[in-house]
Amino acid sequence: GIVLSELDVSASMALLSIQRNHCRPQFVEHSEGDSASLQASRLRHPIFECFQQTEPIEPNSCVLDRTLGCALHLVTGANMSGKSTYLRTVALSII
């Protein structure tokens, strides 16, 4: 039961990642004393890709790196401008 369900989930996720051109994140070891960083590009929220869009989805990028002077992002904008979607997209990319 459990093994078969895990195989089913893995196969479904593999098929979806091929169809939607998803990739796994690459984790890089830092030497001791280095601060952690996040560099992500071409991020797309997976739910938006499920719906037919009249216009293509514009991917986002995120760089959080203390050595580059950008360890924190302040996300601002008008209501319904995509702030929460951007934050969820970045969060989903690292889980």
Side-chain angles (χ1 to χ4, degrees):
I2 291 178
V3 173
L4 184 58
S5 62
E6 288 178 358
L7 180 62
D8 183 35
V9 168
S10 296
S12 296
M13 290 178 73
L15 179 62
L16 185 65
S17 68
I18 290 169
Q19 291 172 341
R20 302 257 166 88
N21 198 24
H22 292 175
C23 64
R24 291 181 58 194
Q26 296 178 356
F27 296 96
V28 179
E29 288 281 331
H30 286 282
S31 60
E32 190 156 335
D34 285 349
S35 61
S37 65
L38 169 68
Q39 296 181 6
S41 60
R42 298 179 317 196
L43 298 174
R44 302 173 319 271
H45 196 288
I47 298 298
F48 287 155
E49 292 184 330
C50 296
F51 301 105
Q52 285 288 355
Q53 301 286 329
T54 56
E55 299 177 17
I57 297 171
E58 186 67 32
N60 293 299
S61 296
C62 179
V63 176
L64 295 172
D65 190 338
R66 186 171 293 159
T67 62
L68 298 176
C70 53
L72 172 74
H73 283 210
L74 181 62
V75 181
T76 65
N79 291 340
M80 302 297 293
S81 62
K83 300 177 297 289
S84 296
T85 302
Y86 173 74
L87 294 173
R88 287 184 187 108
T89 302
V90 172
L92 285 171
S93 74
I94 58 176
I95 349 186

